[in-house]
Amino acid sequence: MAEKFDIQEHKLIPKHTKLSDDEAQKLLEQYNVSLRQLPKILKSDPALKNFDIKPGDVIKIERESPTIGKVNFFRVVINA
Amino acid sequence: MAVDEALIKEYKGRLPEPLLKIFKTYADEVGLSKANQKKAIQQVEHKFLASKIHPGEAIGIVTAESFGEPGTQMTLRTFHFAGVAEANITLGLPRLIEIFDARKDISTPIMEIFLKKQPKDERELEKIIASIKEIKFAEVIESITINIAKMQIEVVLNKKRMKDLEITSEALRRGLGVTLKTVDIVDKDDLLVMKPKVKELTLPSLYSIKEKIKEAPVKGIEGIKQVLPVKRNDEVLLISAGTNLKKVLEIDVVDGTRTLSNDIFEIAKVLGIEAARNAIIREVSRVLHDQGLEIDDRHIMFVSDLMTTTGAVKGVTRSGITGEKESVLARASFETPIVHLINASMVGEVDRLNSVVENVLINQPIPLGTGLPGLVTKMKGDEKDEQ
């Protein structure tokens, strides 16, 4: 067992990126929702291992949808 | 006639990528003129917008019925196997229920292990398999006996088998040491003598230690009971009974980007919630596909989105997503109504009657379809104010 495998490269995991506070605010305004209404992601989620995050941050997930191609999905970080 | 790139660019963002791609190929094939291309893409956009789901559409019910109808046909054909090497895997309706209920202990945990490099020959393949498969102590011994006179356990090792499996006696000792911390192990010629370090040793306790020794893992990965090579699309991959995704991903020869488990919870734990969502979609479509059933991807995506919105995998059960509904009456209408009503009344819960079931219960219009928008009447007095 040499270097540890980076699970971010697993094909089941879409690309996760953290939104800046401004971007997050824009997103909430665009969809007219509050943070509470967004789908959640746990702070301890393995896909966010190398991220510097705190509860309340918004994570952008670039999904590959079988029907409409690339699609952005958003989740808000919560404490486990 | 080439496709008008400017036109495509204009519609980028307005139409989904795959649709534009299809449009491009067709326009190219048919050889539409630029003017006709514009007309055609306007038609495409019109159709696209018209086919979008309307606000107030009961997509939950549509999804449930889309699964329900083919599901009734599935029950009759549950016990078909998918192939010799993969026989006896839970398929069909039982598997579907297992996924949707988000069961923690699935009946046939399976892993698909991809390799970075194809093995050159059978020897190499066997070596890889041997490094993954869990080998218990019982498999490398000739005999195990209890010496009542000396109150110890005596083991005769199968040296040949150990050599075949490439287990050295040191590795064996290390493996045993993990499970048996309180047992002294002494080599005596070909005999391995084990004496528990307990003050008052009784025969029954010695017997239970003997059983424990037999089950002690000495090599491979815990939980992987069987490994079979399978050929798929000119590629050799390994199918394992029993899963341990975390450990298997750490093996050097394993292609960690493709290796999969069919245990949704394990995937959520090792790879995260988004991977779990993809895994649910993948597993459900595979079960349906194997049965020759077609259910639109959108329904599957919808259910898996619901199951993963809370950040953890939740099943479609009273403790899962139904238990998380905001409305007391909605929860009560699903399963165990009394429990929900008593608990809600004890903490003074308020039901805002925002959703469907609770409104059906109290005989009010449901907020779906035409029931969704509210009517605002303009009184005569109001008009005056506006002027």
Side-chain angles (χ1 to χ4, degrees):
Chain A
M1 281 168 222
E3 82 255 50
K4 244 190 141 195
F5 166 67
D6 184 9
I7 60 148
Q8 303 276 3
E9 283 163 32
H10 199 284
K11 69 165 185 175
L12 276 187
I13 304 181
K15 198 178 162 214
H16 290 54
T17 34
K18 189 183 136 181
L19 287 189
S20 69
D21 289 348
D22 281 351
E23 285 169 317
Q25 200 53 45
K26 244 186 183 164
L27 172 89
L28 296 181
E29 270 163 33
Q30 188 193 338
Y31 292 102
N32 191 23
V33 288
S34 65
L35 268 185
R36 258 197 70 212
Q37 290 171 304
L38 284 182
K40 323 278 189 290
I41 188 166
L42 299 183
K43 199 179 164 221
S44 57
D45 198 277
L48 300 179
K49 210 173 159 195
N50 305 326
F51 283 60
D52 174 30
I53 43 161
K54 57 182 188 308
D57 283 342
V58 178
I59 304 293
K60 180 168 106 180
I61 295 147
E62 287 162 52
R63 284 180 178 170
E64 202 61 58
S65 159
T67 49
I68 58 162
K70 283 204 178 74
V71 112
N72 289 338
F73 193 78
F74 301 91
R75 283 179 189 272
V76 61
V77 178
I78 55 164
N79 268 325
Chain B
M1 174 72 72
V3 183
D4 189 355
E5 287 299 330
L7 190 71
I8 297 290
K9 217 173 168 185
E10 192 193 325
Y11 277 85
K12 211 167 207 167
R14 281 161 75 182
L15 289 175
E17 294 276 319
L19 210 55
L20 281 176
K21 220 168 144 189
I22 294 167
F23 177 79
K24 257 178 168 172
T25 30
Y26 275 106
D28 217 25
E29 244 173 55
V30 182
L32 287 176
S33 70
K34 271 195 179 173
N36 280 338
Q37 275 179 31
K38 194 162 184 183
K39 269 188 202 161
I41 207 162
Q42 275 169 357
Q43 283 289 317
V44 171
E45 193 186 24
H46 181 75
K47 288 264 179 202
F48 172 68
L49 292 176
S51 62
K52 273 190 163 183
I53 297 283
H54 305 289
E57 180 79 57
I59 53 169
I61 293 283
V62 175
T63 296
E65 290 190 342
S66 305
F67 276 108
E69 193 274 332
T72 56
Q73 294 170 35
M74 272 170 94
T75 36
L76 304 173
R77 308 184 261 147
T78 297
F79 299 105
H80 284 214
F81 295 151
V84 183
E86 292 170 71
N88 267 324
I89 298 168
T90 314
L91 284 173
L93 199 65
R95 174 69 184 140
L96 208 58
I97 293 169
E98 209 170 71
I99 300 169
F100 286 148
D101 280 1
R103 299 254 168 86
K104 281 220 164 88
D105 291 305
I106 56 175
S107 53
T108 40
I110 302 272
M111 277 187 79
E112 274 175 24
I113 303 168
F114 287 86
L115 302 172
K116 269 187 195 139
K117 262 188 272 163
Q118 288 296 298
K120 283 186 241 47
D121 48 26
E122 271 179 40
R123 279 265 299 286
E124 206 184 324
L125 186 65
E126 263 165 36
K127 222 172 137 184
I128 295 169
I129 290 174
S131 72
I132 296 172
K133 195 183 155 191
E134 179 181 24
I135 291 162
K136 299 221 165 103
F137 189 54
E139 289 176 57
V140 293
I141 55 176
E142 290 274 357
S143 68
I144 181 163
T145 45
I146 295 178
N147 189 328
I148 299 173
K150 289 183 185 164
M151 287 302 267
Q152 62 189 19
I153 299 162
E154 293 170 3
V155 179
V156 181
L157 293 170
N158 186 337
K159 288 270 157 71
K160 193 179 164 291
R161 182 110 174 95
M162 275 174 68
K163 208 176 165 191
D164 284 347
L165 294 168
E166 292 187 348
I167 301 173
T168 57
S169 49
E170 288 91 58
L172 189 70
R173 226 162 236 263
R174 225 181 310 125
L176 283 173
V178 177
T179 22
L180 311 164
K181 289 198 180 83
T182 54
V183 178
D184 269 332
I185 304 168
V186 189
D187 259 319
K188 237 187 220 171
D189 305 325
D190 275 354
L191 218 57
L192 207 59
V193 178
M194 299 187 204
K195 212 174 163 88
K197 284 185 277 192
V198 194
K199 272 179 194 158
E200 281 169 50
L201 198 62
T202 56
L203 204 53
S205 74
L206 197 62
Y207 188 78
S208 76
I209 289 171
K210 178 191 150 196
E211 290 305 309
K212 213 167 135 197
I213 290 171
K214 277 208 242 164
E215 289 296 308
V218 289
K219 195 175 184 244
I221 288 162
E222 205 187 328
I224 309 289
K225 283 176 219 119
Q226 184 62 263
V227 181
L228 289 169
V230 172
K231 198 155 192 171
R232 187 185 295 167
N233 303 334
D234 290 328
E235 190 187 6
V236 175
L237 60 119
L238 308 174
I239 303 274
S240 78
T243 63
N244 193 336
L245 191 59
K246 194 164 191 241
K247 287 274 168 62
V248 171
L249 286 181
E250 283 168 3
I251 302 173
D252 272 343
V253 289
V254 168
D255 182 354
T257 61
R258 290 185 293 159
T259 295
L260 288 173
S261 156
N262 72 343
D263 185 339
I264 309 287
F265 272 99
E266 188 175 36
I267 289 182
K269 209 170 104 197
V270 180
L271 300 175
I273 193 69
E274 276 295 313
R277 173 187 173 269
N278 282 332
I280 294 171
I281 295 174
R282 194 175 162 278
E283 289 291 324
V284 172
S285 350
R286 199 168 57 176
V287 169
L288 295 170
H289 186 81
D290 284 349
Q291 299 271 321
L293 300 171
E294 284 293 334
I295 291 181
D296 198 287
D297 286 336
R298 280 160 262 247
H299 297 311
I300 305 172
M301 288 196 291
F302 176 54
V303 176
S304 41
D305 270 341
L306 263 189
M307 286 173 72
T308 54
T309 40
T310 55
V313 178
K314 289 267 152 65
V316 192
T317 56
R318 64 167 166 265
S319 53
I321 58 177
T322 312
E324 306 232 323
K325 277 190 185 169
E326 214 177 303
S327 162
V328 195
L329 294 176
R331 271 180 278 138
S333 71
F334 184 62
E335 274 173 3
T336 57
I338 308 290
V339 176
H340 284 299
L341 292 177
I342 289 175
N343 286 343
S345 55
M346 282 207 296
V347 294
E349 244 180 84
V350 177
D351 199 319
R352 299 201 175 276
L353 307 175
N354 284 330
S355 191
V356 181
V357 192
E358 52 266 41
N359 280 302
V360 172
L361 277 173
I362 59 164
N363 203 16
Q364 289 293 309
I366 54 168
L368 272 186
T370 49
L372 187 63
L375 269 187
V376 180
T377 321
K378 243 187 190 177
M379 294 305 195
K380 262 186 186 159
D382 294 344
E383 267 171 56
K384 242 178 221 161
D385 291 340
E386 271 171 35
Q387 287 164 358

